[in-house]
Amino acid sequence: HISLFTFDVISQPSITWQKWYDRPGNPFPVDNSVTDLCESNLGNYFIVGYDIIRKALIYKINDYGDTLFTKEFGNNFSRAYCVTQSSDGGCVFAGGIADSNYSPFAIYATKMNSNGSIQWNSVYSDNYNSAVYDIQLTVDNGYIGCGIIDSNSSNLNEGLLFKINSNGNIQWRKIYQAGFSKSFQSVLQT
């Protein structure tokens, strides 16, 4: 289950609502992980994460926590780690996806409209384990993302920074090496 709380911190802190969310068609309780949420420019919220089966989960809720839709994404080796609003009231979520337990995770980004329909899905594979930990809308309606990639044989992770356009096409990508393990967790356009 996923449990979310909202708090009224203007006066006395108190829980204004609490909800439990399950993945679609779940016949039994499954542990789910929420990894990120964002407010859309239409006033609703997108929540992303994954379940123990490792399918990416995307929820859209209103101000009261009521579920507007719930979607699963990818295969049994998909994780959604981050989400940001898009300019049209939808969202772009990103994370890591693999073909099986034995293949490396590739980074992906997926655009969903405000009704939950997939507009585009782009997978960026280098045959190295990698994941996106943050993605943000840029002023040109593209997206900038960051994360981690293991692109060398010394098992030292490296920081990853990339830019995609509004159609999900990669514009540039940069790997930051430092001689020790690192990953980028957050990115902002300045």
Side-chain angles (χ1 to χ4, degrees):
H1 297 292
I2 296 175
S3 179
L4 292 177
F5 302 89
T6 62
F7 298 93
D8 176 5
V9 292
I10 303 298
S11 55
Q12 288 288 69
S14 63
I15 296 174
T16 54
W17 57 262
Q18 174 184 353
K19 300 278 183 168
W20 292 92
Y21 301 91
D22 274 327
R23 70 179 179 86
N26 183 19
F28 54 90
V30 174
D31 288 332
N32 298 324
S33 295
V34 169
T35 52
D36 200 11
L37 66 94
C38 75
E39 184 174 9
S40 79
N41 56 9
L42 299 177
N44 297 306
Y45 298 89
F46 290 100
I47 304 166
V48 297
Y50 58 93
D51 62 21
I52 61 168
I53 300 171
R54 294 199 175 131
K55 284 194 175 186
L57 300 173
I58 300 90
Y59 299 86
K60 183 178 180 182
I61 63 171
N62 64 18
D63 281 339
Y64 304 102
D66 300 322
T67 302
L68 303 176
F69 65 71
T70 304
K71 303 284 184 176
E72 289 182 338
F73 173 79
N75 57 28
N76 288 343
F77 306 100
S78 305
R79 296 180 179 146
Y81 290 123
C82 54
V83 63
T84 192
Q85 69 175 339
S86 58
S87 59
D88 63 357
C91 70
V92 170
F93 60 93
I97 190 167
D99 292 330
S100 70
N101 266 337
Y102 303 105
S103 62
F105 273 82
I107 63 172
Y108 76 89
T110 301
K111 166 77 173 69
M112 180 180 282
N113 69 15
S114 62
N115 297 321
S117 297
I118 300 294
Q119 303 298 293
W120 50 259
N121 177 51
S122 297
V123 176
Y124 318 100
S125 177
D126 289 325
N127 292 322
Y128 302 112
N129 275 319
S130 52
V132 180
Y133 293 142
D134 193 22
I135 193 160
Q136 297 294 322
L137 180 65
T138 56
V139 294
D140 63 356
N141 288 323
Y143 302 90
I144 189 163
C146 69
I148 189 170
I149 187 168
D150 180 11
S151 66
N152 62 46
S153 59
S154 64
N155 293 323
L156 295 176
N157 297 321
E158 298 149 337
L160 173 67
L161 186 65
F162 66 96
K163 171 80 169 64
I164 58 176
N165 66 17
S166 61
N167 295 317
N169 299 314
I170 196 107
Q171 292 182 296
W172 54 262
R173 183 186 78 138
K174 177 76 175 158
I175 296 172
Y176 293 85
Q177 302 170 334
F180 54 88
S181 285
K182 74 161 106 178
S183 68
F184 294 152
Q185 303 291 317
S186 185
V187 63
L188 287 174
Q189 182 173 356
T190 58

